[in-house]
Amino acid sequence: MKVLVTGGLGFIGSHTVVELQNKGLEVIIIDDLSNSSEKVLDGIFAITGKKPIFEKLDLKEKSEVEDFFKKHTDISGVIHFAASKAVGESVENPLLYYENNIGTLVYILKELSKKDKASFIFSSSCTVYGQADKMPITEDAPVKTAESPYGNTKQIGEEIISDTCKVTPSLNAIALRYFNPMGAHPSTEIGELPIGVPQNLVPYITQTGIGMREQLSVFGGDYPTEDGTCIRDYIHVVDLAKAHVIALQRLLEGKNDDNYEVFNLGTGTGSSVLEAIKSFEKVSEKKLNYKIVDRRAGDITAAYASTDKANNILGWKAASTLDEAMKSAWDWEVKIRK
Ligand code: UFG
């Protein structure tokens, strides 16, 4: 059984490749290396003892996508991570995001629609809910107008898949709405490698802890939350990776109730920015230099997942605590800066 992982050298992609290989599935990775490195293959090999097949391919090139699927006729499932993910950059350059995140999705779905049977897993985001009215957020919460072109590509992406599935019974798809992925593989062989100044909280914390950054700015201390800082649902990337394998197996084994399904992937627990900092200080035994500054434009007050649907239907539950995930992020940071 061959599984194609697009963006398989990226943060969540590489951890998912490991879990797929651990389950005995044969993996082909395609990646354009725009935000990743071939060295990640060595990390995957160090963990699993198996090197996945890798092809450098630009999914924006339609003919390359067509040729790839002509060559690899035995692909039964695709996990599609390849996408751009910087919210701020998407505001500056929306067309880049529509081309990278939507154009490529259409090309892949076109190829999968030609097959007698195909399974497709899509990387979506809790960003589709915007500031939800109720916590925890269930999958039937309304999708709100996107705050950024990036968020819009996740909403449009889901609609494209849903529309395609309606007219393509041979195509089975699941969209996974991630909350806030963090952490690294406990082996410290693979982890997050943000390019430039991290936009996300956890890599900014660990880079500050290691001395690469002077100070963490906590964006806003006057939110209507217990300690005034925003609440998010931080999920260990290994838990997230395992959920992808379970979702794919559900489709490959034909256990899905519908040919398009949506699941939240979170822990169900909300943590504030100050709680994340406390967790870092506990697991690293270091004091973090931080300062509360103005709010960041576009941030929502709180988002954490209802995990009931994933628990009950996928039989999946996040196993790691915030401290465990933070410890893995810190161990990774320490290792890569040695
Ligand atoms: N934060 C800081 N300082 C920083 C970075 C972040 O205080 O230097 C705060 C943010 O204000 C927010 C929390 O930490 O309250 C988490 O911020 P992240 O940037 O790590 O994550 P977001 O929740 O903003 O964004 C994530 C993904 C996006 C996705 C979004 C959906 O990174 O891709 O969730 O809500 F769109």
Side-chain angles (χ1 to χ4, degrees):
M1 194 85 80
K2 237 181 227 168
V3 179
L4 169 64
V5 181
T6 75
L9 297 181
F11 175 41
I12 307 170
S14 58
H15 289 80
T16 301
V17 169
V18 164
E19 298 307 323
L20 288 165
Q21 290 188 328
N22 283 345
K23 289 278 178 212
L25 290 152
E26 200 184 331
V27 178
I28 305 185
I29 294 175
I30 55 180
D31 200 298
D32 67 358
L33 301 176
S34 61
N35 193 15
S36 59
S37 150
E38 268 188 76
K39 286 195 191 121
V40 174
L41 288 169
D42 301 330
I44 293 170
F45 179 72
I47 300 168
T48 64
K50 281 176 265 178
K51 239 193 181 151
I53 306 165
F54 167 61
E55 282 190 31
K56 182 172 184 287
L57 193 145
D58 185 352
L59 289 168
K60 294 194 294 302
E61 297 298 330
K62 191 175 180 211
S63 60
E64 285 191 34
V65 179
E66 288 169 351
D67 291 347
F68 178 87
F69 278 95
K70 268 188 208 134
K71 192 164 110 196
H72 299 281
T73 51
D74 53 350
I75 289 172
S76 39
V78 176
I79 307 185
H80 182 47
F81 292 104
S84 299
K85 60 174 184 179
V87 176
E89 184 187 44
S90 79
V91 177
E92 304 284 314
N93 197 348
L95 289 179
L96 178 78
Y97 274 67
Y98 290 116
E99 187 179 29
N100 284 355
N101 296 6
I102 300 297
T104 59
L105 173 66
V106 171
Y107 296 157
I108 293 175
L109 289 177
K110 265 193 162 173
E111 292 306 311
L112 293 185
S113 302
K114 294 178 192 163
K115 288 180 171 285
D116 295 339
K117 192 174 184 317
S119 301
F120 183 74
I121 307 290
F122 180 62
S123 292
S124 190
S125 167
C126 67
T127 194
V128 301
Y129 299 117
Q131 179 57 71
D133 301 326
K134 273 189 276 168
M135 294 294 138
I137 305 173
T138 51
E139 285 81 351
D140 55 11
V143 165
K144 297 239 173 105
T145 307
E147 288 278 346
S148 68
Y150 162 78
N152 211 17
T153 65
K154 294 300 171 190
Q155 296 189 2
I156 297 169
E158 288 193 3
E159 284 171 14
I160 290 172
I161 299 164
S162 163
D163 289 345
T164 309
C165 283
K166 272 183 206 141
V167 294
T168 319
S170 57
L171 179 65
N172 291 288
I174 291 180
L176 297 174
R177 293 176 176 164
Y178 314 152
F179 281 69
N180 288 58
M182 65 170 287
H185 195 270
S187 64
T188 66
E189 294 292 348
I190 54 173
E192 194 168 1
L193 287 168
I195 290 176
V197 181
Q199 304 300 307
N200 293 117
L201 179 66
V202 175
Y204 208 106
I205 288 179
T206 55
Q207 288 195 5
T208 306
I210 205 94
M212 279 177 73
R213 314 268 158 218
E214 174 88 23
Q215 187 177 59
L216 169 78
S217 297
V218 173
F219 298 135
D222 58 351
Y223 283 96
T225 61
E226 218 154 278
D227 64 21
T229 64
C230 294
I231 307 274
R232 294 289 184 276
D233 184 341
Y234 296 96
I235 174 166
H236 195 308
V237 65
V238 173
D239 282 328
L240 197 65
K242 287 181 177 163
H244 286 76
V245 181
I246 293 170
L248 181 69
Q249 280 173 329
R250 174 177 172 83
L251 297 183
L252 292 174
E253 290 164 15
K255 291 190 177 147
N256 44 317
D257 300 319
D258 197 350
N259 75 331
Y260 175 64
E261 297 176 317
V262 175
F263 294 95
N264 283 342
L265 296 181
T267 65
T269 302
S271 305
S272 71
V273 177
L274 294 181
E275 282 170 334
I277 293 171
K278 271 196 207 104
S279 168
F280 171 78
E281 291 185 331
K282 181 172 152 197
V283 301
S284 68
E285 298 175 0
K286 274 174 168 283
K287 271 253 147 286
L288 192 80
N289 183 20
Y290 73 88
K291 188 175 154 199
I292 296 181
V293 301
D294 287 346
R295 293 181 178 196
R296 178 172 72 178
D299 271 342
I300 53 166
T301 303
Y304 56 95
S306 161
T307 58
D308 290 351
K309 192 174 174 193
N311 291 173
N312 297 337
I313 297 179
L314 295 179
W316 169 89
K317 208 177 173 61
S320 297
T321 62
L322 175 63
D323 285 351
E324 286 162 346
M326 193 63 84
K327 173 84 169 57
S328 73
W330 176 237
D331 289 347
W332 167 249
E333 189 73 62
V334 169
K335 178 191 157 169
I336 58 174
R337 305 302 166 198
K338 258 187 197 151

